[in-house]
Amino acid sequence: MEASLTEELDEEEQLVRRHRKEKKELQAKIQGMKNAVPKNDKKRRKQLTEDVAKLEKEMEQKHRDELEQLELVAKENKIDSVPVNITNLVLENQPPRISKAQKRREKKAALEKEWEERIAEAEIENLSGARHIENEKLAQILAARELEIKQIPSDGHCMYKAIEDQLREQDCTLTVAALRSQTAEYMQSHVNDFLPFLTNANTGHMYTPEEFGKYCDDIVNTAAWGGQLELRALSHILQTPIEIIQADSPPIVIGEEYSKKPLTLVYMRHAYGLGEHYNSVTCGFLPSLLSSCAFQSTFSRSLSLYYIN
């Protein structure tokens, strides 16, 4: 009984710690989104406010559901642990008892199924929305180049993970952590190339040296979202051009002065309803991806991983 209570407390403590970590990472992502939108762009600032509110609401609901689920499992464990002192009780044809581990697995599977159903419903509602239209345009652009999207999780590290994936195709083993560390180091050693492009979202003024230092620290120590400035730094670090494919504009090449084979990323403005996002690409275009059903299925699986993990 005492061991069971200890296990429940440990699970609750781990869940609370994970929630704190997820909230911290979300705040870092939100800050990155705010930094990417000019203060005087009222339309994008309004959309940003709505996206941030949606992010926070979804995380709050997710955490509430997980806590309720933990409490439910704890109650079931307490019921299972109540001693029954009945002598010579024989039950014929009694079904096999389900273990606690099996119950937890079934609960997790039920939650995963629920998330997948919610995602599917959201995608049906979004068939005429901006995200779907963007996906269709990108599929056509990539098809012309015999490429297809390689999904990258939306966790604040998407740009760095997309670069990591592209480098892996060139037998380079730099990790996300190494890319973040080198990016921050390069930007700190070339302050004048980056500082003029960073402004305080509250004051509209250019970053102070202290704010710029914190910005670079966040690149290394948090899941802060990476954008064009970080891509510029990475292009110089790797001495490699980086091509950005997008739905509504011609591709952008950063680091055209370098002659190596470009790293290719896909920039999405409406991915997951969470704001801007980067994916990688891979060769071997599959024609079926042009159909909305196939494309939405790929998208849904990626989004379900984001919510469940």
Side-chain angles (χ1 to χ4, degrees), residues 67-167:
L67 286 171
E68 291 175 356
Q69 182 61 36
L70 182 63
E71 291 174 1
L72 178 61
V73 173
K75 288 179 181 178
E76 291 177 351
N77 290 343
K78 289 179 181 178
I79 294 173
D80 291 341
S81 62
V82 174
V84 180
N85 297 317
I86 301 177
T87 306
N88 299 326
L89 177 62
V90 178
L91 299 177
E92 297 182 356
N93 300 322
Q94 182 178 6
R97 182 179 179 183
I98 301 176
S99 67
K100 297 176 185 178
Q102 179 62 25
K103 289 180 180 178
R104 287 194 290 269
R105 286 193 293 269
E106 290 177 354
K107 294 294 182 184
K108 181 180 179 182
L111 285 174
E112 292 176 355
K113 183 178 179 181
E114 181 182 354
W115 278 119
E116 289 175 355
E117 290 174 351
R118 290 183 184 180
I119 293 166
E121 291 173 358
E123 286 310 304
I124 291 174
E125 294 176 357
N126 192 56
L127 286 178
S128 60
R131 184 167 59 206
H132 177 76
I133 294 172
E134 181 179 51
N135 288 343
E136 289 293 312
K137 288 181 179 179
L138 285 170
Q140 294 176 16
I141 292 170
L142 293 173
R145 299 177 56 169
E146 297 185 348
L147 296 172
E148 61 183 76
I149 284 180
K150 186 170 185 179
Q151 296 289 344
I152 299 296
S154 178
D155 56 4
H157 301 289
C158 61
M159 186 271 285
Y160 298 96
K161 286 185 175 180
I163 292 289
E164 178 188 45
D165 179 74
Q166 287 285 296
L167 289 172

